[in-house]
Amino acid sequence: MKIIAGPASQLLASRVARELNMEPTLCEFNRFPDGEVYTRILEDIVDDVTIIQSTPTDADLVSLLQLIDACEDAPTITVVIPYMGYARQDKSFRSGEAISARAIARTIHADRVITVNIHEKSVLEHFNADSYDLDASHLIGNYIRSLGLEDPLIIAPDKGAIALAESAAADVGIEYDYLEKTRHSGDTVTIKTKNIDVTGKEIILIDDMIATGGTMAESIKLLRSQGAKDVYIACVHPVLTKNGVLRLYNAGVHEIIASDTLEKAQSTISVAPLIADFLKNL
């Protein structure tokens, strides 16, 4: 098998290859003067291939499609999309709207597709291939344990992320909770932890992704005002658009913890072992 890295996931693909005692296949990525993306694999493709490429931008999606096309002679093609752009656009709310996640999934032609904590698992049904979603929450839990915190508490920012918080907490024996919004009147709303007092605790706010950081920033301020000792942010996908990092530190975050599904300065956790283990068992 060959490991082929897309331009957005070169470090992660190299780490996966190392986990498998392999070398990543060399590729060339460039742009023509008119902005079109150019992709070339610099080795002959005669073995099974695994392409690893996140798609945070439209150009990254095009690069992935080009890599798949360049591997058309491979016996089997496995596509790993650690972070899939457009996955949040999984429903149509108004007449005439595209279900963008479905549209993107239908462009991927491979024998199997692997994602990591995809935002909405129903998107997997739209791939024209066997599809699997890997869960990196236990990697986050293990990292949190390695910090040696005195009194940690994992908190989901809403009910939608409670499963992620529970999973991250399970293997390491840390308590978890979620933030609950209560509307008292037309213009009065309170937000607080559902079950556990945060006073004096080291809080880890966890979600699958952080984009602009707005919701997390407000949650940090809230938890600090309620007596939290420190507040950490943890996520699988550090999208961190615009001034997201500044907003979080301005709100008083102690540290941003993230994986390398997107390769950012905050990517202190690697999902390479998770992907490599899955590939070994195919």
Side-chain angles (χ1 to χ4, degrees):
M1 180 177 67
K2 289 184 178 293
I3 299 294
I4 298 175
S9 299
Q10 296 181 61
L11 179 57
L12 174 56
S14 298
R15 288 170 171 166
V16 171
R18 180 171 292 178
E19 291 281 337
L20 297 171
N21 295 316
M22 300 168 58
E23 291 184 354
T25 300
L26 285 176
C27 300
E28 180 182 344
F29 308 110
N30 213 330
R31 279 186 180 272
F32 290 108
D34 62 359
E36 289 184 357
V37 175
Y38 173 85
T39 300
R40 180 189 174 206
I41 300 172
L42 300 180
E43 299 178 24
D44 292 334
I45 300 300
V46 294
D47 301 315
D48 296 335
V49 299
T50 295
I51 301 168
I52 302 177
Q53 167 72 341
S54 286
T55 56
T57 70
D58 296 347
D60 290 320
L61 173 62
V62 172
S63 294
L64 174 58
L65 298 179
Q66 290 176 329
L67 286 170
I68 294 171
D69 186 76
C71 293
E72 66 172 352
D73 292 331
T76 64
I77 300 174
T78 298
V79 172
V80 182
I81 311 175
Y83 169 79
M84 179 182 169
Y86 290 92
R88 286 179 289 178
Q89 296 188 43
D90 62 298
K91 296 179 180 65
S92 177
F93 296 97
R94 295 184 294 177
S95 175
E97 281 186 343
I99 301 178
S100 300
R102 179 178 64 188
I104 298 302
R106 287 175 173 174
T107 68
I108 309 297
H109 295 283
D111 294 285
R112 62 182 68 89
V113 176
I114 302 166
T115 59
V116 179
N117 289 97
I118 194 168
H119 188 72
E120 184 57 57
K121 286 193 176 182
S122 63
V123 174
L124 298 176
E125 300 170 6
H126 301 306
F127 288 107
N128 296 311
D130 295 333
S131 54
Y132 310 87
D133 187 58
L134 308 184
D135 181 13
S137 60
H138 68 282
L139 298 177
I140 295 176
N142 288 335
Y143 183 85
I144 292 169
R145 180 170 58 183
S146 75
L147 296 176
L149 303 179
E150 293 181 4
D151 194 9
L153 171 64
I154 295 176
I155 293 182
D158 51 46
K159 278 188 176 181
I162 190 67
L164 186 67
E166 180 180 11
S167 180
D171 293 338
V172 294
I174 299 174
E175 289 186 303
Y176 69 93
D177 204 351
Y178 69 93
L179 295 181
E180 183 179 54
K181 181 184 293 185
T182 304
R183 183 171 295 280
H184 301 281
S185 64
D187 57 357
T188 304
V189 176
T190 58
I191 301 175
K192 62 179 182 178
T193 45
K194 174 66 176 175
N195 301 306
I196 303 173
D197 184 6
V198 303
T199 303
K201 291 184 178 291
E202 294 145 316
I203 305 300
I204 303 94
L205 272 167
I206 188 170
D207 210 344
D208 64 332
M209 70 175 69
I210 302 173
T212 63
T215 300
M216 286 296 198
E218 292 304 314
S219 299
I220 292 166
K221 293 175 183 177
L222 168 73
L223 292 165
R224 288 174 63 86
S225 72
Q226 293 181 352
K229 181 179 178 181
D230 282 316
V231 182
Y232 297 72
I233 294 291
C235 67
V236 179
H237 310 298
V239 181
L240 297 172
T241 58
K242 299 181 180 179
N243 62 346
V245 173
L246 290 175
R247 293 176 77 172
L248 292 171
Y249 276 97
N250 184 265
V253 73
H254 186 81
E255 181 183 348
I256 301 172
I257 302 163
S259 86
D260 55 356
T261 60
L262 292 169
E263 295 170 4
K264 302 287 182 75
Q266 297 78 21
S267 302
T268 51
I269 302 168
S270 181
V271 297
L274 182 69
I275 295 170
D277 286 345
F278 188 87
L279 293 175
K280 288 176 186 176
N281 294 311
L282 286 177

